[in-house]
Amino acid sequence: MSTAAAFDIKIKSIPRDPRNTLIMACPEPSLASIVAIEYLVETLKMEEIGSIKPKSHIPIVTVIDGAAKLPYRLFFDREHAIVVIRQHVPIPPMLYRQFVDKILDWAEDNAVGRVVCLTSTSLLGEQESDNVYFVSEEGHVDEYKQLGLIPLHEATITGIEAIFLDSVLSRNINGVLLLAESKVLTAINRLIESGKLSSHKDVLTILNQTIGRYGPDVTAALKLIRALSKIVGFEIPIDKLADHASKYAFLIDKNLEMYMKPPKEELPVYY
């Protein structure tokens, strides 16, 4: 399937500002990246500027407090030159590279100088830390270290995170993947890796039995928001993040289902 046939793209142009930063997500079941982006849309009162719709995909509409929200929408904050992509539901893996390429085509046409992708990872040590880790092109590593972010030391990255990095690093754009440790994702991955569970419903059932009814990983989302504040150069308020996150618990089911779907040969790996 060609990229021209795969998506309906309707996105307005934005002012050619050297500060222009595009923020997107590699969604996974902790929902940390999804919550962080939704929080930006709401807190900064961002203007909707477009949509991306997979042509071959059955339409999906999420509903928050009675409001219908299509899952792949773009929003713009003119004051701070920030564009974000709302992704309530993961793009099917076979379409993700085409999705990223379409986004990056638009970014280059609109003088976007930086693209930030948010995600979370299982714990990298014995205990969760407040660190936010990053992966970027070699020439930008010092820039992100100076902001207080931690370079991922040695890693093999698979899945949609690898697709994002491969796509963005081949272009003249400052691209960076940000990773926050997530206890929720750690628990999910350990259950999946046990090999004893046949479906995402089994994982949800065990998590509810062992740690109670759970929602998005607010702690990981908070770390991502703080890291974004450093990158975009202004303090994003965080006082309403926990209340905001509670609205999105229902999305865990759909994201976990996609996370476990074949042909996922292996979970994203970070060392």
Side-chain angles (χ1 to χ4, degrees):
M1 184 185 300
S2 70
T3 52
F7 295 95
D8 282 325
I9 311 288
K10 296 179 181 177
I11 311 175
K12 298 176 184 176
S13 296
I14 60 173
R16 299 178 69 83
D17 187 327
R19 300 177 302 156
N20 282 342
T21 298
L22 172 64
I23 303 168
M24 57 188 297
C26 286
E28 41 67 35
S30 84
L31 298 190
S33 58
I34 290 176
V35 165
I37 284 176
E38 288 294 322
Y39 186 68
L40 287 175
V41 172
E42 183 174 296
T43 301
L44 301 180
K45 303 188 185 314
M46 301 181 80
E47 167 196 359
E48 185 172 326
I49 61 169
S51 64
I52 301 174
K53 181 180 178 182
K55 288 185 178 180
S56 61
H57 212 229
I58 297 172
I60 298 174
V61 177
T62 56
V63 180
I64 310 292
D65 292 336
K69 299 175 183 283
L70 294 176
Y72 315 118
R73 294 276 179 170
L74 282 82
F75 294 82
F76 179 50
D77 175 23
R78 187 177 299 269
E79 179 182 355
H80 300 106
I82 295 173
V83 178
V84 302
I85 305 174
R86 167 189 285 159
Q87 293 168 254
H88 281 174
V89 180
I91 293 286
M94 71 289 295
L95 294 180
Y96 192 75
R97 181 177 292 277
Q98 299 176 43
F99 173 78
V100 171
D101 284 341
K102 280 294 184 184
I103 289 296
L104 295 179
D105 287 346
W106 176 87
E108 287 187 319
D109 289 344
N110 285 267
V112 171
R114 188 196 312 266
V115 180
V116 182
C117 187
L118 310 179
T119 194
S120 69
T121 178
S122 297
L123 302 191
L124 299 177
E126 293 297 321
Q127 295 183 330
E128 182 179 7
S129 75
D130 289 334
N131 294 334
V132 172
Y133 299 89
F134 75 87
V135 182
S136 187
E137 196 166 15
E138 187 172 5
H140 296 293
V141 168
D142 286 344
E143 171 187 345
Y144 292 108
K145 287 171 68 174
Q146 288 171 9
L147 292 174
L149 306 177
I150 308 300
L152 200 59
H153 181 50
E154 292 182 0
T156 300
I157 298 179
T158 62
I160 58 175
E161 292 88 348
I163 292 173
F164 165 78
L165 287 170
D166 185 63
S167 297
V168 77
L169 296 181
S170 66
R171 297 172 182 252
N172 188 29
I173 293 179
N174 180 346
V176 61
L177 177 70
L178 299 184
L179 310 100
E181 290 181 317
S182 167
K183 286 184 178 178
V184 171
L185 187 60
T186 301
I188 289 170
N189 282 346
R190 285 175 179 168
L191 287 171
I192 294 172
E193 290 165 353
S194 73
K196 299 177 182 178
L197 305 173
S198 59
S199 75
H200 72 287
K201 294 293 186 184
D202 293 338
V203 177
L204 287 173
T205 298
I206 291 176
L207 285 173
N208 284 333
Q209 290 172 348
T210 56
I211 63 175
R213 184 170 180 81
Y214 69 97
D217 192 327
V218 176
T219 301
L222 179 62
K223 288 184 279 192
L224 291 172
I225 291 290
R226 285 175 170 158
L228 284 174
S229 290
K230 297 175 181 177
I231 288 174
V232 298
F234 74 97
E235 198 67 30
I236 302 167
I238 56 175
D239 53 313
K240 297 181 180 178
L241 180 60
D243 290 341
H244 173 84
S246 64
K247 300 177 186 178
Y248 297 94
F250 74 97
L251 290 175
I252 289 178
D253 192 313
K254 187 66 180 176
N255 278 268
L256 182 56
E257 180 184 15
M258 187 68 73
Y259 195 65
M260 295 182 66
K261 242 181 191 176
K264 188 142 185 120
E265 298 88 358
E266 53 186 317
L267 300 172
V269 179
Y270 315 106
Y271 297 115

